């Protein structure tokens, strides 16, 4: 992990997902792995104060570049999203844990919701010509989907939209059953309700017959989660979630967790033990 | 049927378009990866634990310690820094691990030619800059960016007798030039802390000040007793912004309660006892004076101020506990004011805290009567803030041709013939 002043090389509008920033940051690019994130300072002053965590959306080791999807949320997000080519960005990273693609995985299913596409796209680029990869992405409308021309040709792209403006009408979980028998391994990233739905599917499957095809892929699925962060260095404990092992920090023990390890409650991360 | 883009034919499981060398390399990487997953499944351990080869509870230690040791007192440029063993284990790709980490180039930190020493009770600090409690963990997490031994001291997260899970989410919210936090003193408990950090603290290269929290006087005494003999522990800082279970009043808002805690802890240990003032007390100066009379060696001024933010879309407070503690530059003028007020009424040293981001801010506190400063929230934006502040203070001493940093302590206080600010450095 390093502190690096990156240089924006390109800023592209990618619809409702936000702005895609391509940043020259060789030190971080050479260390980053899919699932990890950069903690980006919104400006050089103290208002807004907190850095924003963004999962890598592209890691170009050789070119020394990374890409981040930035939503103009809050004044900090807005500042970062309005950076233009040539602008400097104060980056801390790479931080957190990364996905592990198993060696014997032949069919890799990636599931993305919203800006959760970021690390899925890294995996798609990295794994697309090593094994058979399908990316399943859901969004509210077509404007919430990742543009298909920014995916490697070898990757099969399956989409759902809530308004039916593109692909299947519905959510990723509506299509998942169809793809699961095919998948040797599942990796997912998206908003908490999507992850909670995956967790429910997993629970049903776990209780069901052990012979279901594709069962293991969901039982062993890896997910990356989001949480409000302070330091992202592991010191403040602002970012904890509840897992099978107790409280764990999303910035250190995460953001990648086993789907079966994370505790959910009503579509949200389970509440950390109340004070005293 | 979902919309699909036609699939390009890919050889199943094959490594398309790669040379034999690449194939071997990829196989090796994948090997490590799948081994890790298998191991994790077998042992019931997390992937990260497997990658690190040990439980993550102690992971930071093995990560940070060799760094601290490798660099202590050695003026090496960062490029020659040895790659710590634990890091190598964590990074599955050898070509990443071979790169040295880019730590702050401590060889270039020009602070040794000036006298920055200050005294906090019987504790002599190399310099007056330390982290604020809760913003530096247990001292090891920032070691990848700079050597904690550079700091005047290390201040730990609040430690309670028993392990605490902390508060419900959300625990942090941004405010104008500051943040609200409600972590809830999540910590592994005094014994857990001793177990996890004793070894590293012995070699960390800076005195460790343990921040102590509790809900009864016995709680404070228990933590101090448990940690007093741990090597490296040099002082205790009592966080008295906690509610007292008997009565529910904050220890720090009542002069009598504050004095009682101080006295009980003083009776337990010979190490310096620093008591941290809460700005939420109706009369902070009265509390400070009571703490001094009870025998405290120093004061920290100040802890966070109560505040709240409301999520207008969801129509409810953002923080899980509704209200939380405000910190950062937003509170700095209040903290400087209180330091200035307290400094005129007590003669024990004060450690200023609240919104310090820079050398200039640190000087404000020193001139208001503080002997040292803590930097907390600023570190979240700029992890190097403490180191930059330190360099800046050294430059100030040099440029203003001061004999030592101690010459600025209290210079902004109103003249008081009977008690001139003590700028003498005594080595006893
Ligand atoms: C995330 C966070 C956690 C904190 N935890 C503690 C704590 O455990 N004990 C304590 O005495 N103060 C704690 N504090 C207060 C700080 O030590 C400090 O007094 C306060 O934040 C003001 O300084 P700052 O503006 O530089 O952060 C915490 C502050 C923050 C932001
Ligand atoms: S954000 Fe501070 S511990 Fe994770």
């Amino acid at each position: 992990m390093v502190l690096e002043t990156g240089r924006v090389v390109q800023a592209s509008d990618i619809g409702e997902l936000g702005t895609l920033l391509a940043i020259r940051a060789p030190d971080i690019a050479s260390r980053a792995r899919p699932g990890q994130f950069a903690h980006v300072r919104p400006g050089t002053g103290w208002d807004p104060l907190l850095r924003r965590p963004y999962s890598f959306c592209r890691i170009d080791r050789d070119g020394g570049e990374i890409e981040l999807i930035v939503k103009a949320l809050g004044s900090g997000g807005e500042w970062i999203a309005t950076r233009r080519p040539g602008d400097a960005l104060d980056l801390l990273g790479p931080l957190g844990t990364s996905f592990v693609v198993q060696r014997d995985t032949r069919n890799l299913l990636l599931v993305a919701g919203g800006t959760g596409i970021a690390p899925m796209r890294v995996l798609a680029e990295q794994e697309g010509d090593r094994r058979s990869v399908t990316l399943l992405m859901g969004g509210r409308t077509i404007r919430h989907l990742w543009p298909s021309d920014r995916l490697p040709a070898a990757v099969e792209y399956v989409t759902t939209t809530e308004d039916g403006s593109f692909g299947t009408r519905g959510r990723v979980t509506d299509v998942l059953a169809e793809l699961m028998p095919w998948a040797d391994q599942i990796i997912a990233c998206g908003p908490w309700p999507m992850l909670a739905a995956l967790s429910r599917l997993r629970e049903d499957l776990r209780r069901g017959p052990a012979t279901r095809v594709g069962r293991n892929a969901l039982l062993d699925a890896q997910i990356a989660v989001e949480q409000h962060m302070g330091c992202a260095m592991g010191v403040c404990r602002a970012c904890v979630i509840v897992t099978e092992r107790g409280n764990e920090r999303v910035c250190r023990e995460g953001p990648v967790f086993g789907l079966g390890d994370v505790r959910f409650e009503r579509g949200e991360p389970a509440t950390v033990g109340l004070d005293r | 049927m979902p919309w699909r883009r036609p699939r390009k034919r890919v050889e199943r499981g094959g490594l398309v378009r790669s040379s034999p060398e690449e194939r071997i390399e990829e196989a090796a990487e994948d090997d490590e990866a799948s081994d890790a997953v298998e191991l994790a499944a077998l042992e019931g351990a997390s992937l990260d634990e497997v990658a690190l080869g040990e439980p993550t509870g102690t992971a930071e230690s093995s990560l940070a310690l060799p760094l601290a040791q490798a660099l202590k007192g050695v003026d090496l440029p960062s490029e020659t820094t040895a790659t710590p063993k634990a890091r190598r284990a964590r990074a599955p790709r050898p070509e990443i691990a071979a790169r040295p980490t880019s730590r702050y180039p401590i060889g270039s930190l020009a602070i040794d030619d000036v006298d920055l020493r200050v005294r906090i009770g019987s504790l002599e600090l190399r310099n007056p800059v330390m982290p604020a409690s809760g913003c530096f963990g247990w001292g090891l997490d920032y070691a990848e960016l700079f050597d904690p031994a550079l700091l005047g001291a290390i201040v730990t997260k609040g430690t309670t007798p028993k392990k605490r899970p902390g508060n419900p989410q959300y625990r942090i919210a941004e405010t104008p030039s500051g943040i609200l936090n409600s972590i809830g003193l999540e910590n592994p408990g005094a014994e857990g802390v001793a177990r996890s950090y004793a070894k590293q603290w012995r070699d960390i290269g800076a005195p460790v000040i343990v921040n102590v929290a509790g809900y009864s006087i016995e709680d404070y005494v228990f933590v101090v007793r448990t940690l007093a003999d741990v090597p490296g522990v040099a002082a205790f800082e009592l966080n008295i912004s906690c509610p007292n279970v008997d009565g529910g009043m904050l220890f720090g808002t009542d002069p009598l309660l504050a004095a009682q805690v101080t006295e009980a802890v003083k009776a337990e240990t010979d190490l310096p006892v620093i008591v941290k003032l809460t700005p939420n007390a109706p009369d902070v100066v009265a509390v400070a004076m009571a703490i001094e009379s009870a025998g405290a060696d120093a004061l920290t001024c100040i802890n966070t101020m109560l505040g709240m933010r409301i999520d207008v879309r969801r129509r409810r407070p953002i923080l899980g506990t509704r209200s939380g503690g405000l910190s950062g530059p937003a509170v700095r003028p209040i903290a400087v004011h209180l330091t200035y007020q307290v400094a005129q009424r007590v003669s024990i040293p004060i450690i200023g805290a609240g919104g310090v981001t820079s050398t200039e801010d640190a000087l404000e506190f020193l001139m208001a009567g503080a002997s040292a400063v803590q930097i907390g929230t600023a570190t979240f934006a700029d992890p190097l803030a403490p180191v930059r502040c330190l360099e800046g203070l050294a430059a100030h001493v040099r440029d203003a041709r001061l004999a030592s940093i101690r010459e600025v302590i209290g210079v902004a206080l109103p003249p008081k013939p009977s008690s001139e600010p003590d700028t003498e450095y005594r080595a006893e």
Side-chain angles (χ1 to χ4, degrees), chain B residues 7-367:
Chain B
R7 181 200 298 278
K8 212 172 99 182
R9 278 271 146 239
V10 181
E11 222 183 311
R12 291 278 152 123
L15 301 162
V16 194
R17 285 190 313 223
S18 60
S19 66
E21 291 81 8
E22 280 169 344
R23 236 170 287 162
I24 291 164
E25 211 185 297
E26 279 164 345
E29 285 168 23
D30 288 347
D31 242 338
E32 284 204 45
S34 63
D35 285 352
V37 172
E38 276 165 30
L39 251 172
L42 278 174
E43 313 282 347
S46 72
L47 295 177
D48 210 30
E49 280 171 342
V50 173
L52 286 158
E54 57 185 317
T56 40
T58 56
E60 302 127 301
S61 49
S62 61
L63 197 73
L65 190 66
L67 268 167
Q69 280 172 339
L71 280 147
K72 192 144 11 95
V74 187
D75 281 1
L76 292 175
S78 65
E79 286 307 295
T80 59
T81 303
T83 308
K85 230 194 259 144
R87 224 187 116 74
R88 214 173 295 141
R90 183 176 206 170
R93 290 162 197 273
E95 76 272 16
I96 303 173
R99 275 172 217 274
T101 58
S102 72
R103 285 228 300 184
Y104 198 74
I106 60 166
S108 68
L109 196 68
I111 56 171
D112 289 341
D113 58 319
V114 295
D115 184 357
L116 293 175
R117 292 171 303 168
V118 295
R119 183 169 279 284
I120 302 296
S122 60
L123 190 61
E124 180 189 298
L125 304 183
R126 192 175 319 152
N127 65 64
V129 178
M130 59 181 89
S133 173
C135 305
F136 210 65
W138 276 270
L140 308 161
D141 300 271
Y142 280 91
E144 248 183 288
L145 292 174
F146 65 87
D147 189 346
L150 289 170
L151 302 172
I154 280 149
V155 184
T156 73
K157 171 73 189 161
T159 305
T160 51
K162 293 255 167 322
K163 180 181 158 88
R164 283 175 54 88
N167 288 339
Q169 291 286 0
Y170 293 116
R171 294 180 167 192
I172 194 163
E174 200 169 42
T175 63
S177 298
I179 58 172
L180 284 168
N181 89 81
S182 169
I183 307 298
L185 292 171
E186 180 177 349
N187 80 97
E191 274 147 12
V193 167
R195 225 177 302 121
S196 306
Y197 303 105
K199 256 199 233 119
Q200 291 90 306
W201 284 350
R202 193 186 54 215
D203 301 315
I204 203 165
V208 175
I209 300 175
V210 175
N211 183 277
V212 184
Y215 297 88
S216 66
I217 289 177
E218 296 75 55
D219 279 359
Y220 288 92
V221 172
F222 179 90
V223 174
V224 169
R225 188 182 301 146
T226 308
L227 292 165
D229 294 329
V230 169
V233 172
F236 291 99
E237 178 181 64
L238 309 187
N239 170 5
I240 53 169
S241 307
C242 311
N244 175 10
V245 279
D246 318 313
M249 193 180 222
L250 301 195
F251 282 99
T253 52
D254 178 41
L256 190 65
L257 268 177
Q260 282 170 349
V261 183
T262 309
E263 224 164 77
V265 170
K266 275 303 285 181
E268 182 61 38
T269 180
D270 293 330
L271 292 176
V273 174
I274 304 158
V275 184
K276 187 166 179 178
L277 300 171
T278 166
N280 301 314
D283 188 347
V284 179
V285 174
V287 176
M289 289 167 69
I291 291 168
E292 179 180 39
S293 311
D297 299 278
L299 297 164
T300 300
C301 184
I302 55 175
N303 211 317
T304 54
M305 306 194 68
L306 282 171
M308 181 188 276
R309 268 201 64 196
I310 289 177
D311 180 337
V312 294
R313 206 172 44 82
R314 295 175 168 210
R315 303 180 160 203
R316 61 173 194 226
I318 294 179
L319 294 178
T321 53
R322 301 188 190 94
S323 295
L326 182 65
S327 63
V331 306
R332 190 169 60 233
I334 298 164
V336 171
H337 161 78
L338 288 171
T339 301
Y340 194 86
Q341 298 304 315
V342 171
Q344 293 173 67
R345 305 298 294 275
V346 304
S347 52
I348 51 177
I350 299 168
I351 305 169
V356 178
T357 66
S358 65
T359 305
E360 178 117 354
D361 303 343
L363 284 170
E364 280 201 51
F365 277 96
L366 295 179
M367 291 180 182

Side-chain angles (χ1 to χ4, degrees), chain A residues 252-270:
Chain A
R252 274 278 158 126
E253 287 81 40
V256 175
F257 294 95
L259 174 61
D261 289 342
V262 175
R263 294 248 180 97
F264 295 87
E265 259 171 30
R266 290 184 293 277
E268 286 186 19

Side-chain angles (χ1 to χ4, degrees), chain A residues 228-240 249-252:
Chain A
H228 287 197
M229 284 189 188
C231 64
M233 292 288 291
V235 299
C236 75
R237 305 201 73 93
C239 65
V240 303
R249 298 163 295 187
V250 171
C251 72
R252 274 278 158 126

